[in-house]
């Protein structure tokens, strides 16, 4: 019996597997595809995800494989010009990195940390009782775990089997995404695309490196069976329908479909089973949020589930996964819906776009939008308190180094500017380090393993109460 089975080995599942392995939780990842998905869906990572990779000592691998694009802001919805904005983050840039590379690095990391990963493992049924979860696979094999997390994407079988509601908007438009070669000279292709985009902003095709072109074109209809991949002929037909030419596309590396369906699970947990990533929320890819959101879900859930397995999770800790992450996803859905509207060439959205273009000039508006996309402005509702309470702590200098280097093992951390506070009773779960209180806005701060501030103050008795709230009873 495993501690945790993760159904789905995409970025969310692999991030979660690594987070659990930091705490010695036994993990089995079941991934349906026998080979990694070659489709380049996500093109990059936003500042909060980059911070997370830094907090786990993973960032160097990503930086070596990606390209930094400095500064947040620039454009909203790819169309409303905004001022460049400086975010309060040591990682104030977007990291351009194709999803297959992100997926590969996260998979390698999960395997290095000891997660068992089975490919070609199609989960067909789950059944739970008070003690655990039983999983059946398409090949007739079975597996058991104390907990299961469905990281199995937008069409999640786990979500459907749990009977979790997935309210929202059904797909109205479907797009075909293709990575192909093209015979038309790039200059000619670029000129035609610019012309088409005057009236169809969701159309595009352009060079994507390695001699390939990445193209996105609306499909003729929303496919009934979205598991059937589009054909090259279908892609060519749609290119011709919008641009009058198919640009001579041939030799696809990948062809996939995606839609503008926007839905959010109304629960993230039933008994011993959780949902994370696209299994819990889907939305159009505008703003490049989905993978980032999934990684951050995993980062929130991992330490909490590990705490339950180790036996020290305080009451309500597991349920805080839903109360913290559901509003964040709701916010992202609102943001992507708004961006989708702004792309329309209809008079109403055009007027809103003009108005927004003026609004972003006002103090704080461009910062507000940039923080939303970067996810650095998230504040979990941990009650009233100083500005940093419930927010992620930015990186800062601490005794002998910098904060994010001290978070690699996924433990709690007391940043003590008083020199007099103690974590005695919790030292198996929480470390203590001296820090300058000027950086903290308080004499001392207690960080959860995901780097969010759980307490600020200077009083040992008050600290002990909050230790117990987040890290369970003392030894
Ligand atoms: C065109 C496009 C562009 C995008 N651009 C961005 C971007 O720039 N930035 C961004 O953050 N996001 C972007 N996204 C979204 C991003 O790709 C997804 O949000 C992300 O892949 C979600 O990760 P996940 O691990 O939750 O789900 P998935 O990546 O869908 O992984 C789920 C995994 O579960 C497996 N699985 C499914 N069912 C089963 C089963 N029954 N048994 C076992 N395994 C199963 C699947 O094979 C898959 O590997 C984009 C998406 C699209 C379509």
């Amino acid at each position: 019996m495993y501690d945790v089975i993760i159904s789905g080995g995409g970025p969310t599942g692999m991030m979660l597997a690594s987070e659990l392995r930091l705490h010695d939780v036994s993990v089995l990842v079941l991934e349906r595809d026998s080979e990694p998905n070659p489709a380049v869906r996500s093109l990059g990572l936003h500042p909060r995800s980059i911070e997370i990779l830094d907090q786990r000592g993973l960032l160097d691998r990503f930086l070596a494989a990606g390209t930094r694009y400095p500064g947040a802001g620039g454009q909203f919805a790819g169309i409303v010009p905004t001022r460049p904005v400086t975010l309060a983050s040591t990682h104030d840039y977007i990291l351009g990195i194709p999803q297959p590379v992100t997926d590969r690095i996260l998979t390698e990391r999960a395997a290095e940390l000891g997660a068992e990963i089975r490919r070609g493992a199609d989960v067909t049924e789950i059944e739970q009782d008070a003690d655990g979860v039983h999983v059946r696979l398409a090949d007739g094999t079975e597996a058991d775990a104390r907990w299961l997390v469905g990281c199995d994407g937008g069409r999640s079988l786990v979500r459907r089997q749990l009977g979790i509601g997935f309210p929202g908007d059904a797909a109205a438009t479907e797009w075909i995404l293709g990575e192909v070669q093209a015979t038309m000279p790039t200059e000619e292709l670029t000129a035609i695309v610019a012309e088409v985009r005057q009236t169809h902003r969701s159309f595009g095709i352009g060079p994507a490196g390695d001699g390939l072109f990445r193209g996105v074109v609306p499909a003729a209809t929303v496919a009934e069976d979205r598991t059937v991949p589009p054909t090259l002929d279908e892609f060519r037909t749609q290119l011709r329908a919008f641009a009058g030419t198919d640009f001579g596309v041939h030799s696809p590396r990948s062809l996939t479909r995606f839609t503008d369906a926007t839905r959010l699970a109304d629960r993230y947990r039933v008994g011993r089973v959780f949902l994370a990533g696209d299994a819990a929320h889907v939305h159009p890819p505008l703003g490049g949020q989905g993978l980032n959101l999934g990684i951050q879900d995993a980062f929130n859930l991992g330490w909490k589930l590990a705490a339950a397995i180790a036996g020290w999770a305080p009451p309500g800790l597991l349920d805080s996964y839903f109360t913290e992450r559901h509003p964040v996803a709701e916010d992202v859905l609102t943001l992507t819906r708004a961006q989708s509207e702004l792309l329309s060439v209809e008079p109403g959205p055009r007027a809103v776009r003009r108005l927004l273009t003026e609004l972003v000039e006002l103090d704080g508006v461009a910062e507000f939008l940039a923080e939303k996309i970067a996810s650095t402005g998230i504040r979990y509702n941990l009650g009233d308190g100083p500005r940093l309470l419930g927010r992620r702590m930015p990186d800062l200098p601490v005794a002998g180094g910098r904060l994010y280097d001290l978070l690699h093992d996924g433990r709690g951390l007391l940043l003590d500017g008083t020199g007099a506070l103690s974590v005695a009773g919790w030292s198996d779960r929480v470390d203590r380090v001296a820090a300058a209180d000027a950086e903290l806005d308080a004499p001392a701060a207690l960080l959860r393993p995901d780097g969010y501030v759980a307490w600020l103050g200077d009083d040992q008795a008050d600290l002990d109460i909050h230790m117990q709230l987040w890290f369970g009873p003392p030894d």
Side-chain angles (χ1 to χ4, degrees):
M1 159 106 77
Y2 293 88
D3 290 326
V4 180
I5 289 178
I6 297 172
S7 177
T12 306
M14 291 306 181
M15 185 74 201
L16 180 63
S18 293
E19 284 300 294
L20 292 167
R21 284 300 305 148
L22 286 180
H23 303 280
D24 267 343
V25 168
S26 66
V27 178
L28 171 64
V29 181
L30 298 172
E31 166 53 48
R32 182 174 54 199
D33 292 347
S34 357
E35 296 296 329
N37 184 347
V40 179
R41 290 177 288 161
S42 169
L43 290 172
L45 298 171
H46 291 297
R48 179 58 194 146
S49 302
I50 301 170
E51 287 180 353
I52 283 175
L53 299 172
D54 191 10
Q55 286 178 210
R56 292 299 185 256
L58 254 181
L59 185 56
D60 286 350
R61 303 184 198 193
F62 278 86
L63 291 179
T67 310
R68 292 193 216 195
Y69 297 101
Q75 279 193 332
F76 181 64
I79 192 157
V80 176
T82 72
R83 284 177 290 105
V85 164
T86 305
L87 293 173
S89 170
T90 40
H91 300 297
D92 183 12
Y93 54 89
I94 290 167
L95 184 64
I97 186 164
Q99 182 159 346
V101 180
T102 296
D103 291 357
R104 174 178 56 74
I105 300 175
L106 291 176
T107 304
E108 285 169 1
R109 160 85 166 175
E112 278 163 27
L113 289 173
E116 188 179 328
I117 299 167
R118 254 184 243 166
R119 288 198 158 273
D122 185 2
V123 173
T124 54
E125 202 181 336
I126 60 165
E127 214 173 68
Q128 61 172 317
D129 60 27
D131 302 317
V133 189
H134 187 66
V135 174
R136 289 192 188 83
L137 291 104
D139 63 6
T141 57
E142 306 186 355
D144 291 290
R146 293 169 69 192
W147 301 87
L148 183 135
V149 187
C151 299
D152 49 348
R155 293 190 289 271
S156 169
L157 171 120
V158 173
R159 185 186 67 236
R160 281 180 276 127
Q161 292 219 337
L162 293 174
I164 290 182
F166 204 36
D169 309 323
T173 308
E174 177 174 292
W175 288 264
I176 304 174
L177 168 66
E179 287 174 289
V180 290
Q181 295 185 30
T183 53
M184 184 180 280
T186 306
E187 230 169 69
E188 195 183 335
L189 176 146
T190 309
I192 295 173
V193 171
E195 185 66 33
V196 179
R197 281 180 57 82
Q198 299 282 327
T199 46
H200 295 97
R201 293 193 204 282
S202 66
F203 174 94
I205 178 165
D210 294 340
L212 289 171
F213 288 78
R214 187 176 198 257
V216 177
V217 60
T221 54
V222 177
E224 296 243 322
D225 181 357
R226 298 201 38 250
T227 58
V228 179
T231 62
L232 181 59
D233 271 349
E234 201 179 336
F235 189 51
R236 284 178 171 148
T237 304
Q238 288 313 107
L239 290 172
R240 281 197 294 268
F242 281 82
T245 169
D246 64 15
F247 306 97
V249 298
H250 64 96
S251 313
R253 180 166 76 179
S254 72
L255 283 167
T256 50
R257 311 174 186 280
F258 66 93
T259 73
D260 56 359
T262 304
R263 295 181 179 278
L264 178 58
D266 55 22
R267 281 180 292 168
Y268 282 13
R269 174 188 181 184
V270 175
R272 298 186 153 270
V273 184
F274 290 85
L275 297 178
D278 276 16
H281 34 70
V282 293
H283 56 81
L286 273 166
Q289 302 275 278
L291 182 148
N292 287 270
L293 194 55
I295 285 182
Q296 292 165 35
D297 282 350
F299 204 59
N300 185 286
L301 177 60
W303 70 276
K304 295 175 180 174
L305 190 48
I309 290 162
W312 58 258
L317 187 69
L318 277 182
D319 290 332
S320 72
Y321 167 59
F322 177 78
T323 52
E324 291 179 354
R325 296 304 299 170
H326 186 267
V328 171
E330 210 163 23
D331 214 33
V332 168
L333 263 53
T334 301
L335 202 66
T336 51
R337 273 194 177 104
Q339 291 180 84
S340 304
E341 287 302 313
L342 289 171
L343 284 183
S344 163
V345 292
E346 295 296 317
R350 276 208 328 250
V352 176
R353 210 156 61 224
R354 270 201 302 276
L355 194 63
L356 195 59
T357 305
E358 289 174 28
L359 279 176
V360 291
E361 289 301 320
L362 299 183
D363 276 356
V365 176
E367 286 77 4
F368 174 84
L369 293 175
E371 272 212 334
K372 276 209 180 283
I373 294 200
S375 296
T376 48
I378 291 170
R379 183 177 196 185
Y380 295 142
N381 183 7
L382 308 189
D384 293 336
R387 190 186 58 85
L388 276 173
L389 185 68
R391 294 182 190 274
R392 107 293 181 221
M393 181 66 89
D395 199 12
L396 47 86
V398 290
R402 61 184 190 100
L403 171 63
Y404 283 7
D405 277 344
L406 301 183
L407 298 175
H408 290 188
D409 295 335
R411 293 161 53 83
L413 185 68
L414 176 68
L415 289 164
D416 186 6
T418 72
L421 294 170
S422 155
V423 295
W426 290 272
S427 55
D428 57 335
R429 285 152 269 175
V430 182
D431 297 318
R432 179 193 163 279
V433 67
D437 55 359
E439 302 272 3
L440 304 179
D441 285 345
L446 177 64
L447 304 192
R448 313 189 316 190
D450 57 1
Y452 281 78
V453 178
W455 171 85
L456 292 150
D458 61 1
D459 176 59
Q460 183 72 51
D462 192 38
L463 170 62
D464 287 352
I465 291 170
H466 286 82
M467 285 287 225
Q468 187 132 349
L469 261 178
W470 289 104
F471 296 99
D475 288 337

